[in-house]
Amino acid sequence: MAPKSLPEISTRTEELDRCVNCGLCLSVCPTYLVKGSEGLTARGKIAILKGLLNDEIEPSSHVADLFDDCLTCYACQSVCPAGVKTPRLWTAARQDMAGYSRSNRLKRFGLTWTIGKPKLFDFEIKLAGKMAGFDRGQRQMAKLGRWGFPVFRGAPLIPQLKDEYPPLVDEIGSVGLLPGCSVNISTPWLADAAIYLLNAAGWRVVIPKDQVCCGAPAINNGCWEIARRLAQVNMEVFGSQGFDHVTSLDATCAGALKYDYFELFRNDKAASRKADRLAGMITGLDMLIFSAVEAGSLKLNPVEAVITLHDSCHATHLGGGSRWLGILEKIDGLDIRELPDSDHCCGFGGSYAFFHNRTSVEIAERKAERIIETGADQVLVGSPGCLLRIHSVMGDRAEKSVRVRHVVELLYDAVAE
């Protein structure tokens, strides 16, 4: 394949050249641990990309499928001693080889007629909630199905939220909140908890109603034209209101706004400046809460519970780790158990859970086994997607009842009067 047929990858050859073939990525790659094919690992995929660029490998649906069969958890980047930035490689490869992917046509169709058309997407969600949704109070019903997200009756959430939530104490600044699609569709109670925590810390929370999906599903699946349209909207909506911070309940969404938008517009100077400006405003929800706890403006009451923590892959492998554990360690009464292989993905991976459901479930089952090993009564997660995936497999295990919650749910218990 000529370099001109790989326009995104051919401009990232410095990343390919950094790989020293050490194989450390094999030990953390979720799909490799389940399937055992080295073509799924970072080392294997880099070798394939080099072969494509050097005309040693012919492009095919099989080659494209190897890149599609990836959770984009980026654990490979965390362990790479050479510092290969795998996020830039895998999304670029999916963009370049979209025409060879057997699932890309279906993904592109689905993304075009959902997040690619925000008003239509809201209507589809609302209709799904009326026809087959679960009651908002029945949180145990928010289980990830094989082909779609669970939808609560009354969804979507964002139009129901107030434009602004004033702080409960002296105001320290403003936060623009992007709840994320999982919260907007499936886990609305997480937004309630997050808004309360931020208000209790002194933040004025603003919910821009013109916001759209962060675009991560389109970015990760090689549909960058859809992602650019969504990014343009969010850059304008969040970048023009003068927020002190912009945050999200989902580290994937925050990561898209902070890291991926600049990459989408790397050849557009005007748009890249907007992306850079928005990136400077992004602060993790964990950091906002941690800072308030450290400053003494957010008091944490004792909570009696035995817990373990599974953090978001994007926070762990792209953001340098979250502060959730540091916050939890300040709560009296918590018995915090270390989770073995805590940095391994839960198997969600956005659309991966639908297009590679069997592998996704196998990976999630491995995570469930590790959770049960800790003896914890609750597993706290850092991402709504992780909550849906882990909850779906934990509920089938009669030998141990473990409550699956987002960290903000327990923190709400520790703060609410």
Side-chain angles (χ1 to χ4, degrees):
M1 178 179 279
K4 66 179 181 181
S5 300
L6 287 170
E8 297 296 337
I9 286 298
S10 62
T11 62
R12 293 168 171 82
T13 55
E14 74 281 358
E15 297 298 336
L16 299 177
D17 293 339
R18 283 184 184 147
C19 179
V20 295
N21 300 312
C22 68
L24 286 176
C25 51
L26 277 66
S27 65
V28 297
C29 177
T31 49
Y32 175 77
L33 293 173
V34 168
K35 294 185 174 182
S37 171
E38 188 167 342
L40 297 170
T41 69
R43 183 172 70 175
K45 289 199 285 283
I46 286 173
I48 290 169
L49 290 175
K50 287 181 176 180
L52 287 168
L53 288 170
N54 295 329
D55 292 327
E56 297 168 353
I57 295 176
E58 288 293 323
S60 66
S61 59
H62 173 69
V63 171
D65 287 346
L66 290 173
F67 289 89
D68 184 63
D69 194 356
C70 173
L71 285 148
T72 57
C73 70
Y74 307 127
C76 48
Q77 176 173 279
S78 290
V79 300
C80 181
V84 178
K85 293 181 175 133
T86 55
R88 302 295 176 248
L89 292 176
W90 308 158
T91 55
R94 286 181 175 180
Q95 170 72 4
D96 283 347
M97 289 192 287
Y100 295 96
S101 171
R102 283 179 283 205
S103 63
N104 184 265
R105 182 175 298 178
L106 181 59
K107 288 182 179 180
R108 185 175 296 274
F109 177 84
L111 291 169
T112 297
W113 292 98
T114 53
I115 64 171
K117 297 182 182 295
K119 291 183 180 179
L120 176 62
F121 189 36
D122 282 353
F123 174 78
E124 293 166 344
I125 293 168
K126 189 173 183 177
L127 185 62
K130 285 184 176 180
M131 294 179 63
F134 65 91
D135 291 334
R136 183 167 172 173
Q138 294 179 300
R139 302 180 186 184
Q140 71 275 13
M141 298 299 292
K143 286 191 173 184
L144 187 68
R146 180 170 185 180
W147 301 114
F149 279 89
V151 179
F152 73 92
R153 292 190 183 96
L157 173 68
I158 291 174
Q160 303 176 42
L161 295 174
K162 298 177 183 177
D163 293 338
E164 188 172 306
Y165 292 81
L168 301 174
V169 295
D170 291 342
E171 183 170 327
I172 58 176
S174 63
V175 174
L177 179 64
L178 185 146
C181 291
S182 295
V183 175
N184 192 35
I185 300 170
S186 306
T187 56
W189 60 88
L190 300 186
D192 299 335
I195 291 168
Y196 179 85
L197 290 169
L198 290 168
N199 288 162
W203 294 106
R204 176 168 52 89
V205 178
V206 181
I207 317 288
K209 296 303 176 63
D210 292 335
Q211 64 179 277
V212 293
C213 171
C214 69
I219 295 167
N220 291 335
N221 286 297
C223 300
W224 287 8
E225 71 282 3
I226 297 173
R228 288 189 180 102
R229 291 203 310 269
L230 297 170
Q232 289 278 16
V233 173
N234 284 331
M235 288 191 300
E236 181 61 32
V237 168
F238 286 98
S240 64
Q241 296 198 32
F243 297 124
D244 294 302
H245 300 277
V246 173
T247 196
S248 176
L249 273 149
D250 196 327
T252 300
C253 300
L257 270 62
K258 190 174 184 67
Y259 304 112
D260 293 336
Y261 283 10
F262 185 81
E263 191 71 12
L264 285 173
F265 299 106
R266 63 203 301 255
N267 297 318
D268 183 332
K269 290 184 179 180
S272 65
R273 284 195 294 269
K274 290 183 180 180
D276 192 48
R277 183 164 61 251
L278 178 58
M281 300 166 65
I282 304 300
T283 305
L285 180 61
D286 59 300
M287 178 57 72
L288 290 173
I289 296 174
F290 179 81
S291 299
V293 172
E294 285 284 281
S297 59
L298 191 63
K299 305 295 184 183
L300 300 173
N301 300 315
V303 176
E304 297 291 334
V306 182
I307 67 166
T308 192
L309 174 67
H310 167 76
D311 213 341
S312 159
C313 286
H314 277 74
T316 300
H317 302 302
L318 290 186
S322 77
R323 295 300 183 96
W324 291 130
L325 182 59
I327 299 170
L328 295 170
E329 289 174 339
K330 297 179 182 297
I331 300 177
D332 292 335
L334 285 185
D335 179 355
I336 304 174
R337 306 288 178 85
E338 183 176 356
L339 178 63
D341 299 331
S342 62
D343 57 345
H344 286 201
C345 182
C346 72
F348 179 59
S351 63
Y352 188 91
F354 311 127
F355 286 90
H356 301 275
N357 181 261
R358 182 178 297 179
T359 307
S360 172
V361 170
E362 287 187 51
I363 294 169
E365 290 283 358
R366 290 170 60 92
K367 179 62 66 174
E369 290 170 6
R370 298 296 182 268
I371 291 168
I372 291 172
E373 287 173 15
T374 69
D377 299 319
Q378 298 183 32
V379 55
L380 305 182
V381 301
S383 167
C386 299
L387 187 151
L388 294 171
R389 178 75 285 173
I390 296 174
H391 177 54
S392 297
V393 296
M394 290 301 301
D396 298 331
R397 291 174 169 267
E399 72 272 25
K400 176 67 176 179
S401 176
V402 180
R403 193 177 181 188
V404 186
R405 308 174 79 194
H406 194 287
V407 182
V408 297
E409 295 183 82
L410 186 138
L411 294 182
Y412 177 88
D413 294 343
V415 173
E417 299 273 330

